[in-house]
Amino acid sequence: MKIHINEVVTRDGFQMESKIPSISYKLDLINSLIDAGIKNIELTSFVHPKYVPQMADAEELFSKIPRRSDVTYSAIALNERGVDRAQKAKADEINLVFSLSETHNRKNANQTVDESIQFVQKLLMGESVLQEQIPINIAISTAFGCPFEGLYTKEKLFPIIERIVEYNPNSINLADTTGMANPKQVEETCYAVKSKWPNLKVGLHLHNTRGMGLANVIAGIRGGVTHFDAALGGIGGCPFAPGATGNICTEDTVHMLEQMGYDTGIDVDKLILASRGLEKELEKTLSGQIMKAGKSSDTHTA
Amino acid sequence: MKIHINEVVTRDGFQMESKIPSISYKLDLINSLIDAGIKNIELTSFVHPKYVPQMADAEELFSKIPRRSDVTYSAIALNERGVDRAQKAKADEINLVFSLSETHNRKNANQTVDESIQFVQKLLMGESVLQEQIPINIAISTAFGCPFEGLYTKEKLFPIIERIVEYNPNSINLADTTGMANPKQVEETCYAVKSKWPNLKVGLHLHNTRGMGLANVIAGIRGGVTHFDAALGGIGGCPFAPGATGNICTEDTVHMLEQMGYDTGIDVDKLILASRGLEKELEKTLSGQIMKAGKSSDTHTA
């Protein structure tokens, strides 16, 4: 079975880093990822550099990446200005993000959830600043729970998905933004979503904040999901969990899936090299395990 | 559903530590674990202190622990001398260990696998140094793979289990000693073992070396296993994976299981406090996540 990985290291990964990597390093990294077989990259966010200085080079990065017919570059936008910038930069896809949590959405986008949904609907109808046909993915942050409001049930999530699905998004990405979801919740939620909307392309954005990241990947697959975000080295994170791990680690995820017989189309050895390079660049120990332990198939001399 | 945790921090955890904790710290730790609801503790190993200096205090530790009718203390032995010492120290159960890997068994116990099995059989028949009736558990190290020989299939494992089951051990513990097993392999192996020997008590000893630890716990439960070893803070490890994580972390495991609705009978908050104390004692950052991120049910003020 094919499992699709969307690499978010340059976006969700770098967003939490105090040391901002140079454009030339970012381009080297992207080339390494593509060489390893990565086909989908969430490259950056078109947000105000005052709030996220790590993404201030969004236009420049898009102008310099190697454009290839087999690689899709997406970018995050939270509002009209962001969508406009993403289009001008020729992003292949736009990822609109809002939170299921009122508190989190207010802090992140300075909007109510209802305002965000209305914006999303307008964009999906091709109105507003949208100049041409471009796939629009909708990411629902804190879809399983929010650090301010606690864990959510699917009864809170479903009416929100309903309001988006009507407008035919390219995909819906359910984000466990702060790593709160457990495998039972992930499997049940994904299974329920895929049962209700069988033709909807559903992705999962998982964090390993509480160690459940890879267990949640399997839970998602059991629930019918085949698209997963991941960040090289497991970087990224959550301000409420200092020292805890971040996004699920791309090479650890790919390693586990390939060991289990799934087909990711990605070369783990090349990812390991890229991840070790990232560790040098960021000058800190990353949370990825395979980069330290090697693959299960590696053998040592007695 | 009830899931049983066997705490191995003072044995497999401390075995890899360069700083050897004092007896008084170990006793404080054990009291904290019992207070948190831990009912099974693999306390120490009766091995030669030349090879494992961390376990040199095995007799003293057994003489000072709080004896309770609701807490079982087990100890590892590899040979007759170890069994004799464990009995004299009044261990509640003895865990005999050998490796499925010839190479690993030779290095660890200086015996062939066949010699180890013959020893195990002799003990299970009540012969040799065994003075009284005492439950004997058999732990098969490198049951899923060995860093020298690679991954194993159940075709290698089953004939070995067969030779032990005949002699009615109290339980068989399948150990992924160096964290090589993947969830598909764990689920299939456990399911096959439980199908073939439905009345056999089977435990899993899992490591998180390649990030698959908690995914393997769920795989084990799906395969019919309800007994798991774990170490507070996720300490322990493997000499071939420097910097990688060790045993599955007790508090992360309990947290995930409780979130999923399983009953461990263990208080996560008390484990977190014990784990933070362990971090201070060992003077290094531990790999446990819940001790840094808190529980999924914790909420923050916006």
Side-chain angles (χ1 to χ4, degrees):
Chain A
M1 191 164 102
K2 182 83 186 170
I3 303 291
H4 306 269
I5 301 292
N6 181 37
E7 177 59 62
V8 301
V9 63
T10 55
R11 205 281 303 167
D12 199 11
F14 289 159
Q15 190 170 310
M16 284 289 293
E17 292 301 322
S18 49
K19 187 192 169 194
I20 307 181
S22 65
I23 279 269
S24 81
Y25 173 73
K26 287 184 183 180
L27 291 170
D28 284 350
L29 174 60
I30 287 156
N31 279 307
S32 307
L33 293 169
I34 293 172
D35 184 48
I38 297 279
K39 300 291 182 202
N40 294 282
I41 298 173
E42 187 177 81
L43 192 65
T44 185
S45 286
F46 288 100
V47 287
H48 199 292
K50 189 172 78 183
Y51 301 111
V52 190
Q54 294 91 337
M55 305 292 124
D57 60 4
E59 274 84 359
E60 190 184 355
L61 193 57
F62 259 104
S63 77
K64 290 180 172 168
I65 43 167
R67 299 285 185 161
R68 294 166 56 129
S69 58
D70 61 345
V71 176
T72 300
Y73 297 99
S74 62
I76 280 186
L78 301 176
N79 51 32
E80 295 203 338
R81 174 89 181 103
V83 171
D84 189 47
R85 287 174 64 198
Q87 284 181 106
K88 287 189 172 130
K90 304 214 176 301
D92 296 316
E93 298 182 357
I94 295 177
N95 304 336
L96 297 182
V97 181
F98 68 92
S99 301
L100 185 57
S101 157
E102 282 292 348
T103 322
H104 195 265
N105 204 53
R106 175 67 73 185
K107 283 172 79 83
N108 230 35
N110 199 26
Q111 284 185 329
T112 65
V113 173
D114 189 64
E115 285 167 346
S116 289
I117 292 174
Q118 287 183 36
F119 170 67
V120 162
Q121 290 172 334
K122 204 165 66 166
L123 262 289
L124 288 172
M125 285 191 291
E127 289 178 15
S128 171
V129 290
L130 218 60
Q131 268 123 40
E132 52 190 310
Q133 197 69 20
I134 179 169
I136 294 183
N137 307 300
I138 309 301
I140 306 179
S141 284
T142 65
F144 299 92
C146 151
F148 311 116
E149 301 182 357
L151 284 163
Y152 298 136
T153 62
K154 62 178 188 292
E155 283 64 38
K156 184 174 172 79
L157 176 64
F158 271 45
I160 306 297
I161 297 180
E162 188 92 63
R163 289 178 66 186
I164 296 163
V165 168
E166 281 181 62
Y167 294 84
N168 288 312
N170 184 57
S171 73
I172 287 188
N173 210 19
L174 303 177
D176 183 25
T177 312
T178 62
M180 295 169 67
N182 67 69
K184 181 166 182 280
Q185 184 188 11
V186 169
E187 180 174 341
E188 286 177 0
T189 303
C190 291
Y191 185 80
V193 170
K194 289 296 291 182
S195 299
K196 193 165 165 69
W197 296 285
N199 298 320
L200 179 65
K201 182 174 154 190
V202 179
L204 277 172
H205 176 95
L206 299 167
H207 280 238
N208 192 38
T209 320
R210 290 170 179 84
M212 299 183 280
L214 294 193
N216 282 338
V217 169
I218 296 174
I221 293 173
R222 292 182 53 82
V225 169
T226 54
H227 290 74
F228 295 89
D229 288 358
L232 195 74
I235 69 167
C238 161
F240 296 104
T245 51
N247 287 270
I248 55 167
C249 170
T250 309
E251 64 272 24
D252 291 4
T253 304
V254 169
H255 171 266
M256 178 185 75
L257 292 173
E258 292 282 334
Q259 288 281 321
M260 294 175 76
Y262 293 107
D263 172 22
T264 65
I266 298 169
D267 183 326
V268 180
D269 293 307
K270 289 183 174 176
L271 284 185
I272 291 172
L273 290 178
S275 197
R276 288 179 183 156
L278 179 62
E279 190 162 70
K280 272 191 197 141
E281 174 68 20
L282 297 178
E283 296 173 324
K284 65 176 190 182
T285 303
L286 305 187
S287 63
Q289 292 299 307
I290 298 298
M291 63 188 291
K292 301 168 190 117
K295 296 178 295 181
S296 292
S297 53
D298 294 345
T299 49
H300 299 258
T301 311
Chain B
M1 190 164 102
K2 182 83 185 169
I3 303 291
H4 306 268
I5 300 293
N6 181 37
E7 177 58 63
V8 300
V9 62
T10 54
R11 205 281 303 167
D12 199 11
F14 289 160
Q15 190 168 309
M16 285 287 295
E17 292 301 322
S18 49
K19 186 192 170 194
I20 306 180
S22 65
I23 280 268
S24 82
Y25 173 73
K26 288 184 183 179
L27 291 169
D28 285 348
L29 174 60
I30 287 157
N31 279 307
S32 308
L33 293 169
I34 292 172
D35 184 47
I38 297 279
K39 301 290 182 205
N40 294 282
I41 298 174
E42 186 177 82
L43 190 66
T44 186
S45 285
F46 288 99
V47 288
H48 200 292
K50 189 172 80 184
Y51 301 112
V52 190
Q54 294 91 339
M55 304 293 122
D57 59 5
E59 274 84 0
E60 189 183 355
L61 193 56
F62 260 104
S63 75
K64 292 181 172 167
I65 42 168
R67 298 285 183 160
R68 293 166 55 129
S69 59
D70 61 344
V71 176
T72 301
Y73 297 100
S74 62
I76 281 186
L78 301 176
N79 51 33
E80 295 203 337
R81 172 93 181 102
V83 171
D84 189 48
R85 288 175 62 198
Q87 284 182 106
K88 288 189 173 130
K90 303 214 177 301
D92 295 316
E93 298 183 357
I94 294 177
N95 304 335
L96 297 182
V97 181
F98 69 91
S99 301
L100 186 57
S101 157
E102 281 293 348
T103 321
H104 195 266
N105 203 53
R106 177 66 75 184
K107 284 173 79 83
N108 232 34
N110 199 27
Q111 284 185 328
T112 65
V113 173
D114 189 64
E115 285 166 347
S116 290
I117 293 174
Q118 287 182 37
F119 170 67
V120 161
Q121 290 172 334
K122 205 166 63 168
L123 262 291
L124 288 172
M125 284 190 293
E127 291 178 14
S128 172
V129 290
L130 219 59
Q131 269 121 39
E132 51 191 311
Q133 197 69 19
I134 179 168
I136 295 182
N137 308 300
I138 310 301
I140 305 179
S141 285
T142 66
F144 299 92
C146 152
F148 310 116
E149 300 182 356
L151 285 163
Y152 298 136
T153 61
K154 62 178 187 292
E155 283 64 39
K156 184 175 172 76
L157 177 64
F158 270 44
I160 306 297
I161 297 180
E162 188 93 63
R163 289 178 66 187
I164 297 163
V165 168
E166 280 181 63
Y167 294 84
N168 288 314
N170 184 56
S171 73
I172 287 188
N173 211 18
L174 303 177
D176 183 25
T177 313
T178 62
M180 295 169 66
N182 67 69
K184 181 167 182 279
Q185 185 188 9
V186 169
E187 180 174 341
E188 286 177 0
T189 302
C190 292
Y191 184 81
V193 171
K194 289 296 291 182
S195 299
K196 194 166 163 70
W197 296 285
N199 298 320
L200 179 64
K201 181 173 155 191
V202 179
L204 276 172
H205 176 95
L206 299 167
H207 279 238
N208 193 38
T209 320
R210 289 170 180 84
M212 299 183 280
L214 294 193
N216 282 339
V217 170
I218 296 175
I221 293 173
R222 292 183 54 81
V225 170
T226 53
H227 290 74
F228 295 89
D229 287 359
L232 195 74
I235 69 167
C238 161
F240 296 104
T245 51
N247 287 270
I248 55 167
C249 171
T250 309
E251 63 272 26
D252 291 4
T253 304
V254 169
H255 171 266
M256 178 185 76
L257 293 173
E258 293 282 335
Q259 288 282 320
M260 293 176 77
Y262 293 107
D263 172 23
T264 64
I266 299 169
D267 184 325
V268 179
D269 292 307
K270 289 182 173 176
L271 284 185
I272 291 172
L273 290 178
S275 197
R276 288 180 184 155
L278 179 63
E279 190 162 70
K280 271 190 197 141
E281 174 68 19
L282 297 178
E283 297 174 321
K284 65 175 190 183
T285 304
L286 305 187
S287 63
Q289 293 300 306
I290 298 298
M291 63 189 291
K292 302 169 190 116
K295 296 178 295 181
S296 291
S297 52
D298 294 344
T299 49
H300 299 257
T301 312

